[in-house]
Amino acid sequence: MPNIEEELKKGLKLLKLEWQEDLAQFQKKFLNTSLTEKKKEGITWHPIQLKKSKIGMGERLLVEVERLDNKYPSSFSSGKTVSFFSTQEGYHSSENRVNGVVNQVKKDTMVVTLQADELPEWMENNRLGVDLLFDEASYREMEFALKKVITSDNKRLEEIRDCLLGEAKPQFFEKTKLAIPNLNDSQNQACELIANAKDVAVVHGPPGTGKTTTLIEAIQDAVIGNQSILVCAPSNAAVDLLVEKLTDRGIETTRLGHPARVEEKILNQTLDAKTAFHDSYRDLKKLRKETNQCLNLAKQYKRNFGPEERAQRKLMFAEVSRLREASKSLEQYIQFDVFQRTQVFATTLVGASSYHLKGMTFDVVFIDEAAQGLEAATWIPILKAKKVVFAGDHFQLPPTIKSFQAGKEGLAKTLFEKVILRNPQAAQLLDLQYRMPEVIMGFSNEWFYKGKLRAAENTKTHEFLNESAMEWIDTAGSGYSDQVEAESLSTFNPEEARFACEHLNNLIKSIGVSKFKEESWTIGLIAPYGAQVRLIRSIIFDSYDFPNLKALSEQITIDTVDGFQGQERDLMLISLTRSNDKGEIGFLSEVRRMNVALTRAKRKLVLIGDSSTLAVHPFFDSLLGYVEEKGGYRSVWEFLG
């Protein structure tokens, strides 16, 4: 194993490669590019309509916009920085732009916190657009964290670093065993491991094994032990889920950064909201109002005034300074008071660099979905940790890497992966899954988890009457061929998309539309490519050919694999899309992504795909063999005619 300092320095070099590649890709999409091209690249929405604006928590201006031209992909997501502009005559200059941070994106609507006190009047015209900005700040924070880990003068950070990277053995206390009533044996063992760990503990949670439930119990146990706690995850949505569950437990949680879900439950835990609800907030508002009044009065004095006015103006500005100082002190007091009452702080990995947390250290830092975070980002919260707890699954979605070279040279390997491989004694596998029947679980269990998973007793009732739990409908020889969408260069397969919708419509009919409504059963449709997702959405929602799907539109979600991470649906259909003479399957060969797709279904999983194209890859060849062995193989010809 290489020296860990060399390993970290290599990581820094690869991070810079990724940074350069990400920036180059962004500039290629953005610079000297027409509005139409930017829309095709998914980095601009235009035209958009301002649906509403309101003052949110902490006196921040929130706007909700809707895009009117939705035939292109979209790269917008929560936490990203954006810039609004107008194509109206006379408003093209850079001062007629206003920036903001995305709170939430839902299909074609987006909620943004504006970095402005009031709404510019040009935002109310009908020539409005919004650009995605490049996120340089996150890379700077990652670079800073890695450099700090390499040259650390902090003894505890050095000890944790050496443990995580396998240069020192993690230490454990011998404590009494935990037996939390609503947890199974492996979940209790994971909580025990966390409580007993001095340096690091890892919870390996395959799909449906209750990883989040286990983590919440472990956090609650640490809260009862009066430990200071920071909870992090790579994405805003994953952080919000933890905040929601901690709040339900009555744990006083403060959410730093931008929540992805604009729900009252989440918003009320933000620092802005807690500041606004504080007893002293009215006084703070009053001070701010007085400051503005004084400032306006001081500005009324012209340049050519006499000594008396000059003295008066000086006094006014002195009063402004005094009031500002008083506001700052009161704001600091309110934040201090909020922090004193906070039991758990929650933020994204990069958000852990927030100036609000400056100088703070935590007894335990919990990192959820740790197998999805870049190593450099994962070090950011660890800089503040006395002990680290990772939770995740390195056999599910990996982090997104833009640079092929950086990924190949090791950037794709996460800190979670390194820790679990180098410190197996610090890891606990959750081995009982509650989501899917054994037949759906079986293939992933053998391929990824060495057969160690068991299906819980409750999964035996997870079925549709007279329906097999897992099927592969083979489209080989049907003439369904994949194509490339000219605008986005994404792959789609029109005949397969149409068949998928027809099959789903008929399947729902055979099970019963009323039964789906009564039981509130959910339906998911996964396609690995954005173009196929868009095509299926338009077939289902823009036509009247599939009445059963229309009737259940509220219960149907159509998305890529990434959109379903951490979620489940009662009925799941996967359109595998690829079908060609060359046997090209593109990024379907990323089997961890397929593991996510295969493990979302609670009652029934249907795969639609061309075996002659897909089975050239050993993963799909084995999967096909497994489905045949379980009696779930069917040919598309059974349904055509």
Side-chain angles (χ1 to χ4, degrees):
M1 191 174 67
N3 169 293
I4 61 171
E5 192 177 317
E6 283 170 29
E7 185 181 341
L8 288 161
K9 281 180 177 170
K10 186 186 176 187
L12 190 59
K13 191 186 103 194
L14 296 179
L15 178 72
K16 286 177 178 171
L17 255 184
E18 173 72 1
W19 188 346
Q20 284 162 7
E21 179 58 30
D22 198 1
L23 181 58
Q25 284 185 23
F26 184 83
Q27 286 174 336
K28 191 180 168 191
K29 290 175 185 176
F30 204 87
L31 295 177
N32 307 316
T33 306
S34 70
L35 191 58
T36 308
E37 288 299 316
K38 288 193 281 190
K39 282 164 68 173
K40 284 178 185 174
E41 293 290 352
I43 56 170
T44 295
W45 282 13
H46 182 275
I48 58 172
Q49 187 178 353
L50 182 67
K51 288 183 79 180
K52 58 183 175 192
S53 65
K54 64 171 187 176
I55 301 294
M57 294 298 178
E59 306 292 298
R60 295 191 188 208
L61 185 58
L62 287 175
V63 293
E64 185 178 341
V65 296
E66 181 178 23
R67 76 166 162 171
L68 305 174
D69 182 0
N70 62 1
K71 64 176 180 281
Y72 300 113
S74 171
S75 301
F76 292 79
S77 61
S78 67
K80 293 200 172 180
T81 310
V82 296
S83 177
F84 287 94
F85 62 90
S86 173
T87 51
Q88 193 178 333
E89 198 63 45
Y91 288 94
H92 294 176
S93 63
S94 57
E95 66 247 30
N96 288 316
R97 271 187 175 259
V98 61
N99 290 1
V101 177
V102 177
N103 285 51
Q104 181 190 45
V105 181
K106 225 174 186 178
K107 287 185 181 168
D108 296 313
T109 60
M110 176 158 59
V111 178
V112 178
T113 301
L114 283 192
Q115 290 163 3
D117 296 328
E118 56 187 36
L119 197 69
E121 53 28 267
W122 53 262
M123 273 193 77
E124 302 196 39
N125 71 44
N126 58 0
R127 309 285 296 278
L128 192 61
V130 61
D131 286 329
L132 193 61
L133 297 182
F134 184 71
D135 183 16
E136 198 98 41
S138 293
Y139 282 107
R140 279 201 206 97
E141 293 299 345
M142 288 191 270
E143 181 184 45
F144 174 80
L146 266 182
K147 284 179 174 173
K148 193 106 174 140
V149 173
I150 292 166
T151 61
S152 174
D153 53 2
N154 176 325
K155 188 171 183 295
R156 186 60 191 139
L157 177 60
E158 275 180 51
E159 288 168 354
I160 287 177
R161 177 196 69 192
D162 293 353
C163 262
L164 298 185
L165 295 175
E167 198 128 293
K169 286 208 179 312
Q171 301 297 307
F172 297 90
F173 298 106
E174 280 302 323
K175 279 190 176 176
T176 51
K177 288 193 175 296
L178 288 173
I180 300 163
N182 61 321
L183 297 188
N184 64 43
D185 288 350
S186 65
Q187 290 172 333
N188 265 308
Q189 283 163 17
C191 286
E192 218 172 275
L193 181 80
I194 291 167
N196 293 348
K198 289 182 182 177
D199 313 293
V200 60
V202 181
V203 179
H204 182 194
T209 54
K211 169 180 65 68
T212 305
T213 304
T214 307
L215 206 58
I216 296 297
E217 289 291 351
I219 294 167
Q220 183 157 26
D221 186 53
V223 166
I224 292 164
N226 279 326
Q227 293 180 296
S228 55
I229 300 159
L230 175 63
V231 170
C232 297
S235 71
N236 278 294
V239 177
D240 287 349
L241 180 66
L242 291 168
V243 170
E244 193 175 325
K245 291 189 178 298
L246 289 166
T247 306
D248 287 343
R249 291 288 180 98
I251 294 169
E252 194 63 49
T253 307
T254 296
R255 167 73 158 101
L256 298 171
H258 283 265
R261 296 189 239 178
V262 188
E263 288 172 21
E264 212 170 328
K265 192 185 275 185
I266 308 291
L267 275 179
N268 287 348
Q269 308 316 314
T270 61
L271 182 57
D272 282 347
K274 291 188 174 196
T275 302
F277 295 143
H278 196 274
D279 295 342
S280 301
Y281 185 64
R282 193 176 288 174
D283 296 334
L284 181 62
K285 272 185 91 171
K286 196 177 161 194
L287 277 170
R288 284 174 177 167
K289 193 178 174 185
E290 283 177 33
T291 307
N292 285 334
Q293 285 170 344
C294 267
L295 197 57
N296 290 336
L297 277 170
K299 283 176 180 172
Q300 281 174 9
Y301 291 99
K302 304 286 178 251
R303 290 203 170 274
N304 54 351
F305 49 75
E308 208 171 294
E309 285 92 342
R310 193 173 286 113
Q312 194 63 34
R313 185 183 185 221
K314 196 176 175 186
L315 280 172
M316 281 286 184
F317 275 120
E319 182 63 2
V320 167
S321 295
R322 188 192 69 75
L323 287 167
R324 276 182 175 156
E325 203 53 51
S327 293
K328 195 178 166 189
S329 297
L330 187 53
E331 207 170 347
Q332 283 171 343
Y333 160 71
I334 292 171
Q335 185 185 307
F336 174 77
D337 198 36
V338 167
F339 280 18
Q340 286 295 99
R341 297 178 205 183
T342 297
Q343 294 170 298
V344 174
F345 290 88
T347 180
T348 58
L349 298 175
V350 174
S353 63
S354 165
Y355 66 93
H356 293 300
L357 297 177
K358 201 169 184 225
M360 291 173 75
T361 53
F362 295 90
D363 294 323
V364 199
V365 169
F366 288 87
I367 301 175
D368 195 14
E369 303 295 3
Q372 276 188 66
L374 282 176
E375 178 176 342
T378 311
W379 283 112
I380 297 171
I382 296 172
L383 296 178
K384 301 179 178 302
K386 292 180 187 172
K387 168 169 130 182
V388 190
V389 176
F390 293 100
D393 180 12
H394 51 305
F395 298 124
Q396 290 188 61
L397 285 181
T400 304
I401 308 284
K402 301 280 174 72
S403 164
F404 176 76
Q405 189 189 342
K408 203 172 107 184
E409 288 186 33
L411 191 72
K413 196 155 199 176
T414 62
L415 190 54
F416 178 92
E417 229 175 316
K418 289 180 180 181
V419 173
I420 205 167
L421 292 172
R422 296 175 191 182
N423 300 291
Q425 73 275 36
Q428 172 64 44
L429 174 77
L430 304 182
D431 60 14
L432 191 63
Q433 73 80 21
Y434 297 89
R435 178 180 297 157
M436 59 210 121
E438 199 159 355
V439 66
I440 297 178
M441 176 193 82
F443 180 74
S444 281
N445 187 24
E446 292 304 324
W447 188 275
F448 295 101
Y449 306 107
K450 298 177 184 167
K452 289 178 183 172
L453 295 187
R454 296 171 294 129
E457 199 63 29
N458 70 305
T459 61
K460 288 178 180 170
T461 63
H462 289 185
E463 59 183 23
F464 294 123
L465 203 60
N466 304 324
E467 283 289 337
S468 55
M470 189 175 185
E471 289 179 340
W472 180 317
I473 300 173
D474 189 1
T475 64
S478 63
Y480 297 177
S481 296
D482 61 39
Q483 301 172 30
V484 174
E485 191 178 66
E487 280 117 10
S488 66
L489 300 180
S490 179
T491 304
F492 69 108
N493 186 326
E495 291 94 346
E496 184 175 297
R498 182 89 195 165
F499 174 76
C501 296
E502 277 172 14
H503 185 71
L504 188 58
N505 189 62
N506 295 334
L507 192 53
I508 288 166
K509 186 183 176 183
S510 70
I511 297 166
V513 173
S514 56
K515 194 73 178 152
F516 270 90
K517 286 187 171 174
E518 278 165 36
E519 302 286 347
S520 298
W521 283 334
T522 52
I523 302 157
L525 217 157
I526 287 179
Y529 296 91
Q532 187 79 340
V533 167
R534 288 191 291 280
L535 179 58
I536 290 169
R537 278 183 188 156
S538 70
I539 292 172
I540 291 177
F541 298 123
D542 299 343
S543 74
Y544 293 92
D545 299 348
F546 305 109
N548 302 320
L549 300 183
K550 272 279 196 235
L552 297 173
S553 60
E554 293 297 307
Q555 285 155 255
I556 297 176
T557 312
I558 305 159
D559 213 334
T560 57
V561 182
D562 301 52
F564 278 101
Q565 171 80 358
Q567 299 185 40
E568 62 183 30
R569 295 293 183 273
D570 291 286
L571 169 59
M572 185 59 84
L573 189 144
I574 305 170
S575 167
L576 291 162
T577 311
R578 297 313 295 253
S579 176
N580 53 72
D581 298 335
K582 297 173 188 167
E584 286 177 358
I585 67 166
F587 73 86
L588 257 68
S589 59
E590 171 49 90
V591 296
R592 289 181 292 180
R593 193 167 246 100
M594 282 313 303
N595 184 32
V596 174
L598 294 173
T599 53
R600 303 302 99 198
K602 201 173 166 183
R603 298 172 188 278
K604 184 175 175 76
L605 171 66
V606 181
L607 295 141
I608 299 174
D610 179 353
S611 64
S612 63
T613 299
L614 295 160
V616 296
H617 191 284
F619 177 85
F620 288 99
D621 188 43
S622 299
L623 176 59
L624 191 64
Y626 175 82
V627 179
E628 279 181 311
E629 183 195 308
K630 300 295 176 189
Y633 175 85
R634 301 179 76 177
S635 167
V636 73
W637 295 103
E638 293 175 41
F639 304 92
L640 301 176

